[in-house]
Amino acid sequence: PNRVRAIAMATALGLALSAALAIFLDSLDKTIKTDEDILGIPGLPFLGAVPAVESPKRLLKKGSSGDFIEDIVKNEMVADAATSLNTALLFSMPKGQNKLIMVTSTIPGEGKTTISYLLALSMANLGNKVLYVELDLRKPSMQRKMGGGEAHQPAGIADYLVGQATFEEIVNPSKIQSN
């Protein structure tokens, strides 16, 4: 037996099996990581992308205004992306049927609150009446971010659903003025 040849064959076989395993495992990965991944899904339109935004805690450490929503709105790149997403969303819906938009995800921290708020603000800036309904019963945050504060938590959707509040009591106008 030729020892050098055996080592070379074992190395080549190991590399080939490793490459085959990597390709196989990659084919099993169905997560969406890029815009192109979305474009590859039949019947699913790609409406746009919003750049990643730093968390409120990281922004505060960097000397931001202390108001997460204000900082996001002032970020031109994010605001432009939200406007573009809003436009694509409105054009993708049949005329007269664009009454309800739901933003959801599977895990916390993916930007549901930020995206839904930016869409609501963008639609309000177009002159539309917008009712933002926060249905996060576990960790609601939008009331605080829109200027409601934590000291006074008004009635919410859960109170309405169990009959402890009227519709008028759960609708709280935002202190944020649209253009």
Side-chain angles (χ1 to χ4, degrees):
N2 185 345
R3 186 174 180 168
V4 174
R5 183 176 172 193
I7 292 173
M9 292 284 279
T11 303
L13 183 62
L15 288 172
L17 287 174
S18 297
L21 181 62
I23 291 169
F24 174 71
L25 291 175
D26 187 53
S27 71
L28 294 178
D29 184 9
K30 301 296 181 198
T31 58
I32 296 172
K33 295 181 178 78
T34 66
D35 301 350
E36 289 78 28
D37 293 342
I38 294 173
L39 295 172
I41 300 173
L44 185 64
F46 176 71
L47 299 175
V50 177
V53 177
E54 292 189 74
S55 71
K57 290 177 185 175
R58 292 184 94 190
L59 285 172
L60 281 174
K61 288 179 184 175
K62 289 184 169 185
S64 72
S65 71
D67 184 345
F68 179 65
I69 295 297
E70 183 180 313
D71 290 336
I72 296 302
V73 172
K74 286 182 179 177
N75 183 328
E76 286 183 32
M77 193 166 70
V78 173
D80 288 345
T83 302
S84 176
L85 177 62
N86 181 37
T87 302
L89 189 60
L90 291 175
F91 279 116
S92 72
M93 294 181 186
K95 190 161 178 78
Q97 293 185 11
N98 51 353
K99 300 292 183 190
L100 176 67
I101 297 170
M102 181 175 78
V103 178
T104 187
S105 73
T106 56
I107 59 174
E110 288 188 322
K112 297 175 291 290
T113 300
T114 302
I115 292 294
S116 56
Y117 174 76
L118 289 171
L119 285 173
L121 185 62
S122 180
M123 289 185 186
N125 283 333
L126 291 174
N128 297 307
K129 289 184 179 181
V130 177
L131 177 63
Y132 182 99
V133 180
E134 179 169 37
L135 295 176
D136 188 344
L137 302 179
R138 190 180 58 82
K139 261 179 84 177
S141 61
M142 207 57 212
Q143 175 65 26
R144 182 176 40 30
K145 289 179 181 177
M146 291 179 75
E150 290 186 35
H152 172 263
Q153 286 297 325
I157 192 73
D159 300 306
Y160 176 74
L161 292 174
V162 296
Q164 294 181 352
T166 64
F167 180 75
E168 290 74 21
E169 291 173 325
I170 67 168
V171 175
N172 303 294
S174 169
K175 293 180 181 176
I176 299 168
Q177 299 296 316
S178 62
N179 296 337

